[in-house]
Amino acid sequence: MTATHTGVRSSRWRWIAAIWSAGGLFDASQTVLIMHAEGRHHPWPPLFGTELVSWLPWALATPLIVRLARRYPVVGGISVRTVEVHLAAFAVISAVAESWSALLQVLINPWNNRKWPTFLDTWTTSLTFQVLTFLIAYALILTVTYVVDARESMARQMTETARLNEELSKAQLAALRRQMEPHFMYNTLNSIAGLVRDDRNDAAVSMIVGLSEFLRRASEDSHRSQVTLLEEVEYLQRYLEIQKARFGERLQVSLEIPAELLRAQVPNLLLQPLVENAIKHGIAKRVAGGTVRVAGVCHDSTLCLSVYNDGPSLPRDWEATQTGVGIGNLRTRLRILHGGESELQLRCADPGGVEVVVRLPFREA
């Protein structure tokens, strides 16, 4: 913690030194150029150095002004106390800065005056001419302080919002798992029991192994709100292996996702609930079974994933809001992760069947 604080202070001082050095170089160069334009050709290095170093008090006073700006803000309502504090600080810093400048001119005489300058005359004259410049410098420090603080505050708010959205997405994912796993486990165990009763022991063992691997992957990825599309497809394939053992030839599956899309980042547990709905509502209730097709394309930096089944179409009075927990949960998670850039549509396909289409930004993991 101490090392971090020291690093921040060191970085702050480097920025202050860089900004005031740039301002001092500009002021010193301008002064020398004006001197030459007026036909005064005496040696310029003493004048350049004096003008450059004269801004040192303002550089040293910048952290104090920053602290005063934060403790007594001049935005969002100004109190009398705030005005008094800033006026007093401005007066003291201006007096000290001009005293330093007058001292340099008395010691060096950078303007090469025939009569050696006195401290009081130099201080009074310079302060009169410089007070407006000093006022602008003080106001600039206040302005930069408030702008930087506002940006930092906005960055903190965005970080906090992202963190909360991540936590909410994980909570939604956990809720989906709790809703999905008992139903899935019940059907799978029933299928295993049926295989054992039919003396299809090899198929039963294969299904148990598949179930074990499926649950292991689910447990390992439970803390991640997003995964690669490759991981999501591998997870889906584990699920489909179990369903193929359950339905046999009644279930036909087609995966049409190009290899170049597999590096895309997608919400965890995106495809499996959609395929489960397709099997449950489109395949399981039909004696002849049916086909489930999972496809993916990318167009204009938008990833489009679709899950189609050739089962019964949606009823005419169906509305998009009348969906189960899985679809509604996925819509919420998409909105949390991608806002208005994502979309989930459930629609009747032509010439028959039902299709779910998910659109989200294509972002590499």
Side-chain angles (χ1 to χ4, degrees), residues 236 254-257 270-271 274-275 292-297 303-309 345 347 354-359:
L236 175 62
S254 170
L255 283 175
E256 303 172 4
I257 300 179
L270 169 65
L271 294 176
L274 300 181
V275 172
V292 174
R293 183 178 69 246
V294 181
V297 294
L303 176 64
C304 179
L305 299 171
S306 62
V307 176
Y308 163 82
N309 75 83
Q345 291 182 331
R347 64 195 183 191
V354 177
E355 184 178 38
V356 181
V357 180
V358 177
R359 294 183 178 86

Side-chain angles (χ1 to χ4, degrees), residues 103-166:
L103 179 62
L104 292 175
Q105 293 187 53
V106 168
L107 294 176
I108 302 174
N109 189 19
W111 292 98
N112 200 25
N113 295 321
R114 294 181 179 180
K115 181 181 178 182
W116 201 267
T118 63
F119 178 84
L120 184 60
D121 290 342
T122 302
W123 187 86
T124 305
T125 304
S126 298
L127 185 60
T128 302
F129 284 103
Q130 291 278 49
V131 65
L132 181 59
T133 302
F134 288 167
L135 183 61
I136 294 173
Y138 193 93
L140 281 175
I141 295 173
L142 295 181
T143 302
V144 170
T145 299
Y146 294 135
V147 170
V148 170
D149 286 353
R151 291 189 61 181
E152 290 180 350
S153 177
M154 185 178 298
R156 285 194 298 270
Q157 290 177 1
M158 292 177 64
T159 301
E160 181 67 13
T161 300
R163 185 186 66 82
L164 292 175
N165 283 343
E166 183 79 6

